Amino acid sequence: MPATPLPALQSGRPTAWEEAVYAFLVEKRARSGSTRTVEGYARMLWPFFAGRTPDAVRASDVLAYAHGIGASGRTPASATIGARIACLSSFYRFAFRMGLLVANPCDALERPRTVPAVARGYNAAEVQRILAVIPDTLRGRRDRAILLVLVLTGRRRAEVMGLRAGDISLEGETVFYAYRGKGGKRGRRELPRPAYMTICRTLADTGKELATMDPGESLWQAGAGPGGITSGTFYGRFRRYLAMAGLAPTGLHVLRHTAAKLRRDAGASVEAVSAFLDHSSLAVTTVYLRRLEGETDATWPDVAAAIGV
């Protein structure tokens, strides 16, 4: 997966503090391996420090920001408040390590008790409704391929959108895909046959086939026009498909929840689903996760049958 540029500095001639924030973001990306995490931190840090320097911030400033109403006009949820405090506290710990500051104003604050959100995920009938409204066009077939890869593999949006021809390999009758997950974790899993077939079809639409493609070539850019399809473009199209299917608007991460839900509905154990999603924090041991690497996927045929592909 190619590296994505970090969020830009906010001025042409950055101050020493702006450079410190940027250095923090560079380190955060190196440690987490997640560009989306860094982008989220940048969206919080740059506005917060606009017009004030980190050394002048008091605990009351952080408290007001953490509980403040944002652009949505809604009172922030406990998870949002906690994320804002955690972001600022992480920056101040970095600044302390670098010898730039001697105190962390976030230490005086009590973190809110997070109320977990209700897990979302579509059932098989709802997935079928979404698939039914995708048009049988070049772009539609590509969108269908991306959606099926998301639902059948449970990978995150960035992991799927970053797939390259060299990530796909065929061993006998089984297809595998390689990925770089959150935190820089690399893995190799079976690619369910329906997802593989839709990828082949959308490539054939543009005269491509995996066997002759450059290993670094994107699976989704061929014939997509200048700049190809972006993650944001697919997100917008997904939202339109939801509206056409009579489903409420939501983000693409719902498809990861859907992948988990469908596997549980197909009889997979909680431990197997946790390993499938690389959720090592859900009581899945490192040994078990490592053992799963490169193994075949016994559950995808039941999921594929449920959604009619």
Side-chain angles (χ1 to χ4, degrees), residues 99-120:
L100 302 174
L101 293 169
V102 296
N104 183 348
C106 302
D107 289 342
L109 303 183
E110 183 176 346
R111 306 293 176 92
R113 183 176 180 179
T114 301
V115 178
V118 177
R120 295 175 296 173

Side-chain angles (χ1 to χ4, degrees), residues 5-274:
L6 282 163
L9 284 164
Q10 300 297 286
S11 62
R13 300 182 65 183
T15 65
W17 283 119
E18 287 176 329
E19 290 179 342
V21 172
Y22 194 78
F24 165 72
L25 294 174
V26 170
E27 181 182 274
K28 178 62 67 173
R29 187 175 70 172
R31 290 169 65 91
S32 71
S34 172
T35 299
R36 290 188 67 190
T37 297
V38 173
E39 290 172 345
Y41 272 47
R43 283 194 295 269
M44 289 185 273
L45 290 173
W46 291 129
F48 179 78
F49 289 123
R52 59 182 153 197
T53 57
D55 58 334
V57 171
R58 299 170 300 173
S60 58
D61 298 322
V62 178
L63 184 67
Y65 166 71
H67 291 266
I69 295 175
S72 67
R74 298 192 299 267
T75 300
S78 58
T80 300
I81 296 170
R84 291 172 177 175
I85 296 174
C87 172
L88 290 170
S89 183
S90 184
F91 167 74
Y92 274 97
R93 289 197 302 272
F94 166 82
F96 180 82
R97 285 192 289 108
M98 296 296 106
L100 302 174
L101 293 169
V102 296
N104 183 348
C106 302
D107 289 342
L109 303 183
E110 183 176 346
R111 306 293 176 92
R113 183 176 180 179
T114 301
V115 178
V118 177
R120 295 175 296 173
Y122 298 125
N123 58 35
E126 289 169 327
V127 175
Q128 289 179 352
R129 284 163 57 185
I130 299 171
L131 292 172
V133 301
I134 299 177
D136 188 20
T137 62
L138 188 149
R139 288 185 177 181
R141 288 189 289 273
R142 183 188 58 205
D143 290 345
R144 180 184 177 89
I146 295 173
L147 190 145
L148 280 178
V149 173
L150 287 164
V151 169
L152 291 174
T153 67
R155 303 314 323 162
R156 297 174 180 84
R157 172 176 24 172
E159 295 163 10
V160 171
M161 297 304 295
L163 285 173
R164 299 290 186 263
D167 295 327
I168 311 298
S169 59
L170 185 63
E171 298 181 11
E173 295 298 317
T174 305
V175 184
F176 289 92
Y177 70 96
Y179 66 93
R180 183 175 185 270
K182 191 174 183 179
K185 173 181 172 59
R186 294 184 182 275
R188 183 172 178 270
R189 300 281 176 86
E190 181 180 355
L191 179 64
R193 179 65 61 167
Y196 171 68
M197 296 305 297
T198 57
I199 289 172
C200 292
R201 287 192 204 102
T202 193
L203 290 174
D205 280 339
T206 57
K208 300 266 187 177
E209 59 179 42
L210 281 168
T212 58
M213 289 175 66
D214 184 279
E217 190 172 353
S218 169
L219 294 181
W220 317 118
Q221 303 305 319
I229 184 171
T230 65
S231 180
T233 298
F234 178 71
Y235 168 70
R237 294 172 68 83
F238 174 68
R239 300 265 291 197
R240 288 196 290 274
Y241 297 145
L242 291 181
M244 293 164 63
L247 297 170
T250 188
L252 282 166
H253 200 72
V254 72
L255 298 178
R256 185 163 161 84
H257 291 294
T258 298
K261 175 179 173 56
L262 291 172
R263 283 172 178 271
R264 280 291 284 154
D265 292 345
S269 68
V270 173
E271 292 80 7
V273 172
S274 297

Side-chain angles (χ1 to χ4, degrees), residues 245-303:
L247 297 170
T250 188
L252 282 166
H253 200 72
V254 72
L255 298 178
R256 185 163 161 84
H257 291 294
T258 298
K261 175 179 173 56
L262 291 172
R263 283 172 178 271
R264 280 291 284 154
D265 292 345
S269 68
V270 173
E271 292 80 7
V273 172
S274 297
F276 166 72
L277 296 175
D278 284 344
H279 278 175
S280 58
S281 61
L282 300 182
V284 181
T285 66
T286 302
V287 172
Y288 181 80
L289 287 173
R290 188 179 300 118
R291 190 169 67 244
L292 188 62
E293 295 294 316
E295 290 189 357
T296 59
D297 182 350
T299 309
W300 76 253
D302 295 326
V303 173

